[in-house]
C-alpha cells in the first residue's frame, strides 16, 4: 500500500500527487508491472510545472517515468498495516530541469 498526501491508503493507483502543497508535480497513467510486499514498479507519466518565469505562470511538461516504491514499514496511523515509505523516479528520456535523472525521496507516513 502507498499513503497519499491526504493520508489515504492506495493500492496500485493510476495517478499520484507528489507536490501536495501546490500540485506542481504529479504522476499519471501509472501501469504497475509489480506490486509485492517489498517493492512495486510502474511506468507512467510525470507532469511537472517548469515554474518559468514563476510557478503561477509556468507550464506543465510531461516526462516518461519509471516509479519504484520500496522500504515497507508500519504506517503510523495503523501500526498493523505496512506501506511503502520511499519512492524512486527514473527518467529514461529527459527530466525536469530541477530534477536529476534518478530521484529518491521518502513518502508520507
Amino acid at each position: 500500500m502507498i499513503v497519499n498526501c491526504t493520508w489515504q491508503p492506495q493500492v496500485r493507483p493510476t495517478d499520484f500527487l507528489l507536490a501536495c502543497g501546490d500540485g506542481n508535480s504529479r504522476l499519471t497513467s501509472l501501469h504497475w508491472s509489480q506490486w509485492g510486499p517489498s517493492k512495486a514498479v510502474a511506468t507512467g507519466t510525470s507532469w511537472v510545472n517548469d515554474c518559468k518565469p514563476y510557478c503561477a505562470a509556468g507550464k506543465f511538461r510531461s516526462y516518461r517515468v519509471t516509479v519504484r516504491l520500496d522500504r515497507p514499514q508500519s504506517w503510523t496511523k495503523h501500526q498493523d498495516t505496512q506501506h511503502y515509505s520511499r519512492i524512486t523516479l527514473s527518467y529514461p528520456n529527459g527530466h525536469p530541469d530541477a530534477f536529476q535523472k534518478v530521484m529518491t525521496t521518502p513518502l508520507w507516513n
Side-chain angles (χ1 to χ4, degrees):
M1 162 186 86
I2 186 171
V3 177
N4 68 21
C5 61
T6 61
W7 307 108
Q8 299 301 309
Q10 295 183 294
V11 175
R12 293 182 184 91
T14 55
D15 299 318
F16 191 76
L17 186 61
L18 293 170
C20 295
D22 57 16
N24 282 326
S25 180
R26 76 174 47 246
L27 303 172
T28 64
S29 304
L30 295 173
H31 297 280
W32 298 94
S33 60
Q34 184 174 359
W35 190 278
S38 62
K39 73 175 181 177
V41 178
T43 56
T45 305
S46 173
W47 288 91
V48 179
N49 187 343
D50 66 12
C51 291
K52 293 179 182 176
Y54 50 93
C55 290
K59 293 182 182 172
F60 279 86
R61 307 213 183 263
S62 65
Y63 304 88
R64 293 293 305 151
V65 67
T66 298
V67 178
R68 179 185 167 109
L69 305 174
D70 61 9
R71 288 204 179 157
Q73 67 180 36
S74 293
W75 183 18
T76 302
K77 190 172 180 179
H78 297 282
Q79 290 292 315
D80 59 335
T81 303
Q82 294 283 305
H83 75 101
Y84 298 114
S85 66
R86 183 172 72 170
I87 188 169
T88 300
L89 306 176
S90 300
Y91 295 92
N93 303 319
H95 54 84
D97 289 342
F99 289 33
Q100 297 175 2
K101 184 173 180 166
V102 177
M103 300 284 296
T104 300
T105 187
L107 287 167
W108 302 276
N109 187 17

